[in-house]
Amino acid sequence: MGYVIRSIRADEWPAVKELRLDSLRDPVAHLAFLETYEEAVARPDSFWEDRAAGAAEGETGAQHFIAERSDGRWLGQLVVLLEEAGTTDWAGFPVERRQGHVVGVYVRPEARGGELTKALFAAGLEWAWGAGAERVRLIVHEDNGRAQGLYRKVGFVPSGVRVPLPQAAGESELEFVLERGGVHQGS
C-alpha cells in the first residue's frame, strides 16, 4: 500500500473533520477518545478550521501528521502537541519539562497491521525532537489493550502515572512515555 506521511495544510480542515468523525465511529472510540461522535459532528466548521490551522505545516506548538494514499485518501493520523515546562496539562498535572504529547492517533482498519502506524509515529517523534522536546508522552485508557500494544511496539513504556477519568468514575488512563534518545523501533 503506497502512502506518504506529511503534515496537514490549514485548508484541509474538511478532511481533518472527516477523519476525526470516522475515528469516533471506531468500535473502541469510547476508550480511545475523550469526545463522542455526537459532540464532534455538532461542532461548527469554524472549530475544524481552527483545529487544522493550529496544527498545520509550519506551526510550532502542534503538528498534525497524516498518511495519505496516492489517490488522496487519508489512511491515518497522529497529532503532536508541544507542552512547555512550567505549565499545567489538560488533566491538571504540572509539566516539568518541554515535551511532546501525542493525541488523536487513528488508522483506518484497512491500513492497520503494517508499517503505516510506525511511520506516523516516526514523523511525529522527529518533529517533537526537532522542536526541543525532552520526551514524548501519550495517555491511553487502561482497558485499551490494542492501543497499549501498539505504543509499546513503537518504543513507549508506562511511566506509572494514572489519570482518573472524571466522566467515568473508577476508570483511569495511563501515561506512556518515550525519552529523547530512547529506542524507537519504527526508525
Side-chain angles (χ1 to χ4, degrees):
M1 178 185 314
Y3 59 86
V4 106
I5 304 292
R6 66 172 179 83
S7 295
I8 66 163
R9 294 181 304 272
D11 65 351
E12 292 178 310
W13 68 265
V16 168
K17 177 181 178 180
E18 176 191 350
L19 190 57
R20 178 61 172 189
L21 294 177
D22 285 352
S23 73
L24 293 170
R25 289 187 198 106
D26 189 272
V28 297
H30 66 287
L31 296 178
F33 305 108
L34 296 177
E35 155 181 70
T36 67
Y37 175 84
E38 292 74 23
E39 291 167 338
V41 78
R43 296 188 188 280
D45 287 349
S46 60
F47 170 86
W48 299 102
E49 292 169 355
D50 291 346
R51 187 176 199 159
E57 184 176 46
E59 289 298 315
T60 58
Q63 203 69 190
H64 187 150
F65 294 94
I66 53 132
E68 182 179 32
R69 201 166 58 192
S70 59
D71 65 1
R73 179 170 168 79
W74 288 10
L75 299 173
Q77 68 180 3
L78 174 146
V79 179
V80 182
L81 311 172
L82 205 53
E83 298 175 327
E84 296 296 340
T87 62
T88 303
D89 73 7
W90 65 273
F93 290 98
V95 176
E96 297 176 1
R97 53 192 167 145
R98 186 170 217 190
Q99 62 190 13
H101 186 155
V102 174
V103 299
V105 178
Y106 176 71
V107 173
R108 294 185 187 279
E110 71 268 20
R112 293 179 187 157
E115 297 297 312
L116 184 145
T117 307
K118 288 182 181 178
L120 280 167
F121 269 93
L125 290 168
E126 181 180 343
W127 180 83
W129 304 143
E134 295 178 36
R135 73 176 193 157
V136 175
R137 71 178 185 143
L138 52 86
I139 309 292
V140 59
H141 195 282
E142 62 190 347
D143 294 334
N144 194 344
R146 179 179 85 186
Q148 288 181 41
L150 165 69
Y151 301 147
R152 288 176 193 275
K153 283 181 185 174
V154 295
F156 286 79
V157 295
S159 70
V161 172
R162 296 181 77 82
V163 180
L165 288 171
Q167 70 272 28
E171 294 183 28
S172 296
E173 292 191 315
L174 310 172
E175 180 187 64
F176 276 55
V177 299
L178 180 64
E179 298 290 333
R180 186 180 183 103
V183 177
H184 173 61
Q185 297 174 353
S187 300

